């Protein structure tokens, strides 16, 4: 999710049951951190590198 937010996504589709969880997650994210994360992901040369960055961001 941070990658999408960093790329400027402002709307997401999800099951109604997880909306509170998604809202809580989004509330904890800083826009600048998400943008920096997305920029780093765009510089990756493989999906594996993006997955690694995503795991590191979540940790």
């Amino acid at each position: 999710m941070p990658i999408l937010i960093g790329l400027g996504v402002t709307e997401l589709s999800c099951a109604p049951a997880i909306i509170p969880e998604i809202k809580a997650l989004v509330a904890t994210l800083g826009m600048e951190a998400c943008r920096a994360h997305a920029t780093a992901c765009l510089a990756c040369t493989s999906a594996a590198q993006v997955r690694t960055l995503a795991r590191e961001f979540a940790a």
Side-chain angles (χ1 to χ4, degrees), residues 25-48:
L25 172 63
V26 171
T28 67
L29 299 173
M31 190 56 154
E32 287 305 314
C34 289
R35 284 188 186 129
H37 183 55
T39 300
C41 288
L42 290 172
C44 290
T45 58
S46 71

Side-chain angles (χ1 to χ4, degrees), residues 2-51:
I3 297 168
L4 296 175
I5 292 171
L7 291 172
V9 173
T10 59
E11 294 183 19
L12 298 169
S13 178
C14 65
I18 65 167
I19 290 174
E21 182 180 343
I22 298 296
K23 281 181 143 183
L25 172 63
V26 171
T28 67
L29 299 173
M31 190 56 154
E32 287 305 314
C34 289
R35 284 188 186 129
H37 183 55
T39 300
C41 288
L42 290 172
C44 290
T45 58
S46 71
Q49 288 177 328
V50 173
R51 284 190 294 274

